[in-house]
């Protein structure tokens, strides 16, 4: 018998709509947990500021409704700006967070939570048109944290450009 | 060993009423409430006669017949408010008793009591367009400070960080207590016609009870409560003493909880354990609901005021005092020093931490101004709190 168990988890590339869609599927699969956390009603634009092969931004919009991510899509900058709020960071910042979540088996290091990264405005930037919209980020913060924490259930691979 | 709820000891009873007090109560009741005696007598006579009334089957004046249907979330206030006759909160309440909005109540008005304490009668003094959403969200996102925090994982911190954490928790316990008292004070002033606001305030009271509970527990689990502070007390008293519901809501929900929301976010960032992070994340969610109500309540107040310019000027005068009293909490060493120690990573690095406090200060003032602006109130040239943290300015 092998001393190290083989990693049979699904492999999902980041950044990609598939990566966020996978998190959406996990939300659905863990419905009871979502019901315990409560409604989440907002649209979020996750931006990787240097996510494309030529170093340009890529935006992924996730629409949350009730207990599910009802829509996940890669969108252009205008559609991203129309989301309730955005969370923008470099690929390296996202990668460090995702790797930390994986290393902690679903719990990031103290310095890798969404709020830790966004609180000072950098390296993760909260973008919102007005304070009522940015308050949505705070109102659903635990749900959003658990949304990204679920990425430990699969294996993230990063595009070679990043 | 598990603890059974029914075995928990009850609170001590309040002081007994003396004979004189009771006699006074009896006299007031019999002299002031003759109508009640007539209603009682009539109904008792009917019972003796064995005579049915069945007037309640008559739907002539009722909003009867259209059945409310639940949405995917269940039966929300929004779902029932779609039915004609139930959803419209009046601009001015005229019912000062418990008769439900939308029920047949007019024929009984002359025989009904008037609750004089129901004094918040203008919709402009309490309504917010997001209040129903926030109420449903608040119910759905309740959590339990006993069970939902991974307390068993709490580890002891180095003494300076532990004391800083416990001091911050002492401050938070102190302010959350008053944050519950304010909606509790006004909730009782709100008549039936604004039941949605009353319901939301009930959730806010529950939220604040949980906040003072969780921080009290965290402090005592980490070594103990530390220092209360007069600066906190004066800020909190100013909130409780605010002359109107809107003014107090501005001071508590928009300004005060806006500040506390920043502190919770900072708390999550500077937390030295996963337990603390979870506590702050949970609390900041609740706090953001209260802030959102505060912003839209204030907006509604200004938008519906018959003399907006005068209302704004009055609020500016109120803010001139309110900002300064709230500032008395924010400059307490019992608050900013533990934050600086946590930000810096230890007592040795408190100076470094103060730079972080300066950043937080700037951010907080900017957010406060943005919230005022979102409500349609420009405080940018009149804010009495300096935009920059005045640390060491006189040195
Ligand atoms: Fe609170």
């Amino acid at each position: 018998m092998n001393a190290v168990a083989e990693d049979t988890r699904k492999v999902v590339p980041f950044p990609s709509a598939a990566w966020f869609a996978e998190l959406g599927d996990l939300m659905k699969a863990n419905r009871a947990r979502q019901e315990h956390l409560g409604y989440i009603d907002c649209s979020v634009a996750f931006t990787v500021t240097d996510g494309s092969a030529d170093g340009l931004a890529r935006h992924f919009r996730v629409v949350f409704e009730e207990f599910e991510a009802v829509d996940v899509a890669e969108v252009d900058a205008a559609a991203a700006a129309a989301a309730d709020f955005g969370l923008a960071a470099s690929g390296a910042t996202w990668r460090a967070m995702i790797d930390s979540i994986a290393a902690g088996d679903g719990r990031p290091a103290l310095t890798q939570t969404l709020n830790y990264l966004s609180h000072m405005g950098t390296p993760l930037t909260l973008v919102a048109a007005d304070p009522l919209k940015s308050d949505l980020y705070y109102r659903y913060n635990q749900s959003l944290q658990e949304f990204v924490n679920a990425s430990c259930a699969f294996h993230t691979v990063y595009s070679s450009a990043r | 060993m598990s603890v059974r709820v029914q075995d928990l000891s009850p609170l001590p009873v309040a002081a007994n009423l003396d004979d004189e007090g009771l006699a006074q109560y009896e006299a007031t009741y019999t002299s002031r409430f003759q109508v009640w005696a007539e209603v009682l007598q009539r109904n008792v006579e009917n019972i003796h006669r064995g005579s049915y009334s069945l007037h309640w089957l008559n739907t002539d004046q009722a909003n009867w017949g259209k059945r409310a249907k639940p949405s995917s979330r269940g039966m929300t206030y929004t779902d029932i408010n779609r039915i004609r006759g139930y959803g419209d909160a009046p601009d001015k309440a005229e019912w000062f008793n418990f008769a439900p909005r939308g029920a047949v109540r007019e024929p009984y008005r002359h025989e009904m009591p008037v609750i004089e304490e129901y004094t918040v009668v203008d919709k402009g003094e309490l309504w917010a367009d997001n209040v129903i959403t926030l109420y449903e969200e608040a119910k759905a996102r309740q959590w339990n400070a006993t069970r939902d925090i991974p307390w068993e994982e709490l580890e002891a911190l180095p003494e300076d960080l532990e004391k800083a954490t416990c001091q911050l928790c002492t401050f938070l316990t102190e302010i959350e207590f008053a944050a519950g008292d304010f909606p509790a004070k006004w909730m009782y002033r709100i008549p039936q016609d604004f039941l949605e606001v009353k319901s939301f305030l009930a959730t806010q009271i529950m939220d604040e009870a949980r906040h003072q509970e969780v921080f009290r527990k965290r402090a005592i689990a980490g070594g103990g409560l530390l220092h209360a502070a007069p600066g906190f007390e004066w800020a909190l008293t100013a909130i409780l003493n605010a002359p109107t519901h809107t003014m107090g809501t501005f001071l508590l929900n928009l300004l005060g909880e806006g500040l506390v929301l920043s502190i919770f976010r900072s708390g999550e960032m500077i937390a030295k354990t996963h337990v603390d992070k979870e506590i702050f994340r949970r609390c900041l969610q609740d706090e953001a609901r209260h802030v959102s109500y505060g912003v839209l309540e204030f907006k509604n107040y200004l938008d519906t005021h018959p003399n907006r310019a005068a209302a704004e000027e009055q609020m500016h005068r109120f803010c001139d005092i309110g900002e300064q009293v709230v500032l008395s909490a924010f400059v307490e060493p019992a608050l900013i020093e533990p934050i600086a120690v946590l930000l810096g990573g230890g007592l040795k690095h408190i100076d470094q931490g103060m730079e972080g406090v300066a950043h937080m200060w700037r951010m907080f003032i900017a957010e406060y101004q943005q919230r005022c602006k979102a409500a349609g109130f420009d405080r940018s040239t009149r804010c009495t709190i300096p935009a920059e943290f005045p640390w060491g300015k006189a040195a």
Side-chain angles (χ1 to χ4, degrees):
Chain A
M1 213 174 105
N2 281 340
V4 180
E6 205 184 323
D7 189 349
T8 55
R9 292 174 307 164
K10 200 168 186 175
V11 176
V12 189
F14 183 91
S16 70
W19 193 85
F20 290 98
E22 194 63 31
L23 295 183
D25 289 347
L26 287 163
M27 257 183 111
K28 218 176 273 178
N30 296 315
R31 167 96 183 184
R33 178 63 187 163
Q34 301 309 319
E35 288 179 2
H36 183 70
L37 288 171
Y39 302 139
I40 167 167
D41 294 297
C42 58
S43 56
V44 187
F46 294 91
T47 294
V48 184
T49 52
D50 51 359
S52 76
D54 45 4
L56 299 176
R58 288 178 73 184
H59 312 277
F60 304 92
R61 189 194 55 208
V62 182
V63 180
F64 296 98
E65 219 176 274
E66 244 173 282
F67 303 116
E68 290 180 13
V70 294
D71 186 53
V72 178
E74 181 160 6
V75 295
D76 61 18
D84 286 328
F85 61 88
L87 291 170
S90 69
T93 296
W94 287 115
R95 180 175 184 158
M97 183 196 84
I98 296 164
D99 287 349
S100 178
I101 289 167
D105 202 18
R107 181 150 81 178
L110 296 175
T111 56
Q112 290 293 340
T113 60
L114 290 173
N115 177 72
Y116 184 97
L117 297 168
S118 67
H119 185 50
M120 292 296 193
T122 176
L124 179 61
T125 307
L126 169 65
V127 191
D130 70 62
L132 287 160
K133 299 283 190 194
S134 47
D135 281 343
L136 292 170
Y137 173 54
Y138 310 130
R139 274 157 62 180
Y140 307 126
N141 200 266
Q142 180 71 23
S143 298
L144 292 164
Q145 185 61 56
E146 295 198 17
F147 177 70
V148 292
N149 284 359
S151 64
C152 72
F154 53 86
H155 184 63
T156 301
V157 289
Y158 303 94
S159 58
S160 54
R162 297 293 108 231
Chain B
M1 200 186 80
S2 68
V3 178
R4 290 148 53 98
V5 173
Q6 58 266 45
D7 293 341
L8 297 173
S9 52
L11 295 168
V13 290
N16 286 329
L17 197 65
D18 62 14
D19 267 3
E20 199 188 331
L22 187 57
Q24 210 172 4
Y25 171 76
E26 286 166 341
T28 314
Y29 221 89
T30 40
S31 66
R32 267 185 66 199
F33 300 111
Q34 292 124 336
V35 181
W36 155 70
E38 286 164 26
V39 170
L40 174 67
Q41 197 183 355
R42 183 175 69 223
N43 290 336
V44 167
E45 281 169 11
N46 281 344
I47 285 185
H48 279 279
R49 278 201 302 272
S51 122
Y52 293 110
S53 164
L54 299 181
H55 70 285
W56 51 270
L57 286 168
N58 186 316
T59 58
D60 290 351
Q61 293 179 58
N63 298 295
W64 174 257
K66 198 148 184 254
R67 291 163 189 256
K69 297 261 184 329
S71 57
S72 61
R73 286 163 204 243
M75 188 74 87
T76 65
Y77 270 149
T78 307
D79 298 324
I80 61 165
N81 281 356
R82 281 199 195 99
I83 307 289
R84 196 182 54 81
Y86 296 99
D88 298 326
D91 290 338
K92 207 173 186 70
E94 286 178 359
W95 284 89
F96 306 111
N97 49 45
F98 320 107
R101 191 180 76 205
V104 181
R105 47 187 187 178
E106 198 55 54
Y108 316 107
R109 189 194 278 271
H110 66 289
E111 285 191 325
M112 283 183 171
V114 170
I115 309 300
E116 280 157 11
E117 287 88 346
Y118 287 167
T119 52
V120 188
V121 298
D122 291 318
K123 192 179 180 186
E125 270 286 348
L126 46 60
W127 194 262
D129 285 343
N130 57 0
V131 75
I132 293 178
T133 306
L134 291 172
Y135 175 58
E136 291 294 342
E137 185 177 308
K139 285 184 297 164
R141 296 188 73 83
Q142 289 296 302
W143 51 281
N144 185 330
T146 301
R147 206 186 51 209
D148 288 335
I149 303 297
W151 292 109
E152 67 287 353
E153 291 181 28
L154 192 64
E155 297 156 19
L157 294 168
E159 196 185 342
D160 52 350
L161 296 176
E162 192 71 83
K163 281 186 170 164
T165 303
C166 291
Q167 177 57 45
L168 181 58
C169 289
T170 306
F171 158 74
L172 290 170
T173 301
E174 197 168 356
I175 60 151
E176 297 293 355
F177 196 85
D181 276 355
F182 176 81
K185 170 185 166 175
W186 287 96
M187 195 171 111
Y188 176 49
R189 306 280 167 176
I190 297 173
Q192 246 291 337
D193 284 340
F194 306 127
L195 60 106
E196 293 89 347
V197 177
K198 198 158 183 151
S199 303
F200 171 71
L201 293 186
T203 68
Q204 188 176 342
I205 294 166
M206 185 62 220
D207 292 346
E208 310 299 12
R210 187 171 52 247
H211 294 177
Q212 73 86 27
E213 171 197 359
V214 79
F215 291 115
R216 184 175 182 83
K217 287 177 172 176
R218 171 60 183 93
I220 295 172
L225 287 163
L226 286 169
H227 293 254
F232 307 157
E233 294 291 319
W234 284 107
L236 299 170
T237 303
I239 291 168
L240 282 184
N241 287 344
T244 70
H245 180 252
T246 293
M247 285 174 169
T249 300
F250 177 92
L251 216 51
L252 175 68
N253 293 56
L254 191 151
L255 174 55
E257 301 206 72
L259 167 60
V260 174
L261 176 57
S262 308
I263 293 173
F264 286 166
R265 282 151 48 205
S266 305
E268 201 274 353
M269 195 193 91
I270 59 189
K272 304 301 175 205
T273 71
H274 289 291
V275 177
D276 293 329
K277 278 185 114 60
E278 181 99 14
I279 291 173
F280 282 115
R281 267 205 306 273
R282 296 291 189 142
C283 289
L284 73 84
Q285 300 190 119
D286 301 336
E287 212 69 359
R289 284 195 298 274
H290 309 161
V291 177
S292 293
Y293 169 70
V295 172
L296 285 197
E297 192 280 333
F298 186 40
K299 182 175 189 306
N300 174 63
Y301 170 76
L302 293 176
D303 287 351
T304 59
H305 200 283
N307 186 346
R308 186 179 177 122
E312 283 192 29
E313 192 45 41
Q314 210 178 37
M315 278 308 291
H316 278 302
R317 284 175 59 193
F318 174 73
C319 289
D320 291 345
I321 301 171
E323 285 167 358
Q324 289 299 302
V325 206
V326 167
L327 184 65
S328 68
F330 203 30
V331 294
E332 263 292 351
L335 171 63
I336 50 174
E337 289 176 8
I339 291 179
V341 168
L342 291 166
L343 272 170
L347 193 53
K348 278 204 307 266
H349 309 295
I350 189 170
D351 287 339
Q352 218 175 304
M354 274 298 175
E355 289 167 26
V357 171
H359 183 91
M360 265 181 57
W361 179 292
R362 216 174 300 129
M363 195 164 67
F364 160 65
I365 299 301
E367 285 177 2
Y368 166 57
Q369 302 273 12
Q370 286 159 14
R371 291 202 167 98
C372 286
K373 203 172 145 211
F377 184 60
D378 182 6
R379 193 67 187 152
S380 59
T381 56
R382 295 186 61 167
C383 184
T384 65
I385 306 177
E388 295 291 328
F389 184 42
W391 177 251
K393 283 280 184 290

